[in-house]
Amino acid sequence: MSGAGTEPARDVLPGVVGWLERNLCFFDPEMWERHLPRRPFSAGPLLELLGFLRLLSDTPAPAPVRPVSEGLRAGALALAEQVVDTAEFTRRLRRADEFFPYHLNLVALQHLMGRPRPGLLHRCEALLVAGAGGHFQPHRPLLSRLELRYVADRAGVAVPQGVPGLAALYRQSLPGLGADPLALDDTEVYAFTHALFYATDFGAHALPPGAAVDDTVRVLLASHLIGGHLDLLAELLLCADVVGPEETDLVRRGWTALASAQRPDGAVPGPVHRPAVLAGLTGEKAEAYLFGTCYHTTLATGLAAAARLRQVSRPVPQAPSPCLPESAAEGAPSPYPPVGADPDAVREWAGAVAAAAAHATEPDRGRWVEAVAGALVLCARRRDRPGLEAVLGAAGVLGVAGSPLVRSATARLAAGWCG
């Protein structure tokens, strides 16, 4: 990966770290519950923060990040100690209920980050080996079993005999089986991204054998770029580095979208963030709303940036991908619909591409083909039949009507789908 390819990640990361440190108080479960809706596992945001900081510690981060991240790391670990050193935490851990994987993960992250609680870690291991809670039973959700196996392996914790390994569980996951991007809703896309995270420790290891996922990641990335879903865009940018960290026009556009969306204070707005709502709030209510609607997307952006920077030290055999101009032909439609395009904008773009394709340059046609695949998946997710028809029309003119994705969408429409 070229140094130039990491510049957007380097640009966004200091802002992410600074915002997280300034808002550290909201990662305290008690502070969260005073201002924001109660979560089933109260330390969930803190757990996510610690996961990010662990990854950041392995990253050749830009110089401005290091001094700030040390303060954030110390503060986050102090909050984790407050959580795990309570009788309530131990009581709930011993129940081995559906939140047991999160209890184990929190204790394991403390261990990995130099604040071990050996008594708690041994208790977790004993419960796990004894089969308390049945968390590895075949009827449990696959993603939960994959996550728990990942957490246990990373912490060096034993599991019951006969439990499938990480690679075997991954092969049963959405990416391992070969997911159909036309059939995935947002919840399933999150399951897709997280399976890749757990199977590779967020890109630290090679992906286990399974179905080819490069095309699926690329199509989903294009879809969520066009749709403007910054949370999944960040997660899919991390996935793009997991499956093939070469520079592409699509990856550059994704990072540009995240960098453009980042607020001056460093936060990256999430899908539920509404600036108009924030404008009507003041004081702690405003701070809490901003945190609650931005923290996860900001963390996801930080994770993707840290993972991308971690690739810098790893040689990747590839030919450099040129940074192509926005359009090679004057007056041609843009390579992609605008970020956050509504259905009308997608249909208008697809119509313009269909009209211009016959006389377009090869660079323009290549970018449109990639964008058409993403737009097709976005329209399918929206159940937007007019949009699907417009995008399929563009695909036909571009000569990709025979691709599996286009043929699948065409067949579904012919069967009356979205009628």
Side-chain angles (χ1 to χ4, degrees):
M1 180 187 300
S2 67
T6 66
E7 287 177 3
R10 289 184 180 275
D11 290 344
V12 303
L13 189 54
V16 165
V17 172
W19 186 82
L20 292 172
E21 184 169 27
R22 290 190 299 275
N23 288 274
L24 181 62
C25 62
F26 285 105
F27 286 99
D28 181 342
E30 292 185 4
M31 183 70 163
W32 175 286
E33 292 188 356
R34 280 203 298 273
H35 297 281
L36 294 161
R38 178 183 291 269
R39 296 173 62 96
F41 181 68
S42 62
L46 177 59
L47 182 60
E48 293 168 325
L49 174 63
L50 290 172
F52 164 63
L53 293 175
R54 182 192 70 90
L55 183 60
L56 188 62
S57 67
D58 297 334
T59 299
V65 171
R66 283 298 182 193
V68 181
S69 65
E70 286 306 314
L72 176 58
R73 177 189 174 96
L77 285 169
L79 284 178
E81 287 179 338
Q82 291 177 25
V83 171
V84 304
D85 287 344
T86 63
E88 175 67 10
F89 182 86
T90 301
R91 184 186 69 81
R92 297 194 66 180
L93 184 155
R94 291 166 72 101
R95 290 173 58 185
D97 60 14
E98 67 269 29
F99 303 114
F100 176 77
Y102 303 149
H103 288 94
L104 170 59
N105 199 5
L106 188 55
V107 174
L109 282 168
Q110 286 185 285
H111 176 76
L112 292 169
M113 297 174 71
R115 302 285 182 89
R117 287 291 186 275
L120 284 175
L121 194 61
H122 292 157
R123 174 62 63 189
C124 288
E125 183 174 54
L127 290 167
L128 196 59
V129 171
H135 296 290
F136 281 120
Q137 291 296 315
H139 68 275
R140 297 291 186 181
L142 185 283
L143 187 65
S144 298
R145 288 184 283 141
L146 179 64
E147 179 183 17
L148 184 55
R149 183 75 210 223
Y150 159 66
V151 171
D153 287 358
R154 190 189 60 193
V157 169
V159 300
Q161 288 188 348
V163 169
L166 200 65
L169 290 169
Y170 169 75
R171 285 193 290 273
Q172 301 173 48
S173 71
L174 276 171
L177 291 170
D180 175 4
L182 286 172
L184 299 181
D185 60 24
D186 283 347
T187 299
E188 290 164 330
V189 177
Y190 279 113
F192 179 96
T193 60
H194 283 234
L196 289 175
F197 298 163
Y198 303 148
T200 65
D201 192 11
F202 294 85
H205 311 299
L207 196 63
V213 295
D214 306 56
D215 287 347
T216 304
V217 168
R218 185 167 57 250
V219 169
L220 291 173
L221 177 57
S223 170
H224 287 85
L225 171 63
I226 298 168
H229 194 304
L230 300 180
D231 205 64
L232 278 170
L233 174 62
E235 293 202 3
L236 287 159
L237 282 168
L238 200 166
C239 291
D241 275 336
V242 165
V243 302
E246 67 273 5
E247 249 334 275
T248 67
D249 187 53
L250 173 58
V251 167
R252 279 190 290 269
R253 288 178 185 279
W255 275 108
T256 298
L258 285 182
S260 299
Q262 188 175 37
R263 290 165 43 95
D265 60 7
V268 182
V272 297
H273 180 75
R274 299 292 180 267
V277 174
L278 178 62
L281 301 173
T282 58
E284 278 198 346
K285 287 187 175 180
E287 293 173 6
Y289 176 81
L290 181 64
F291 181 83
T293 59
C294 295
Y295 94 89
H296 188 272
T297 303
T298 304
L299 275 176
T301 300
L303 278 167
R308 189 157 182 76
L309 292 172
R310 189 167 60 180
Q311 299 286 352
V312 171
S313 60
R314 298 178 187 166
V316 179
Q318 60 181 21
S321 173
C323 186
L324 299 173
E326 189 68 12
S327 178
E330 185 176 354
S334 62
Y336 277 76
V339 175
D342 62 21
D344 288 341
V346 173
R347 289 194 291 271
E348 181 180 346
W349 173 85
V353 168
H359 305 290
T361 64
E362 283 306 309
D364 274 340
R365 292 174 65 88
R367 283 180 294 231
W368 289 335
V369 165
E370 190 169 59
V372 157
L376 200 60
V377 170
L378 176 62
C379 291
R381 192 164 58 250
R382 289 173 170 173
R383 299 298 191 268
D384 175 13
R385 187 180 181 94
L388 283 166
E389 291 171 341
V391 176
L392 287 172
V397 177
L398 288 168
V400 292
S403 75
L405 189 72
V406 174
R407 284 193 287 108
S408 178
T410 301
R412 294 176 196 196
L413 284 188
W417 189 48
C418 296

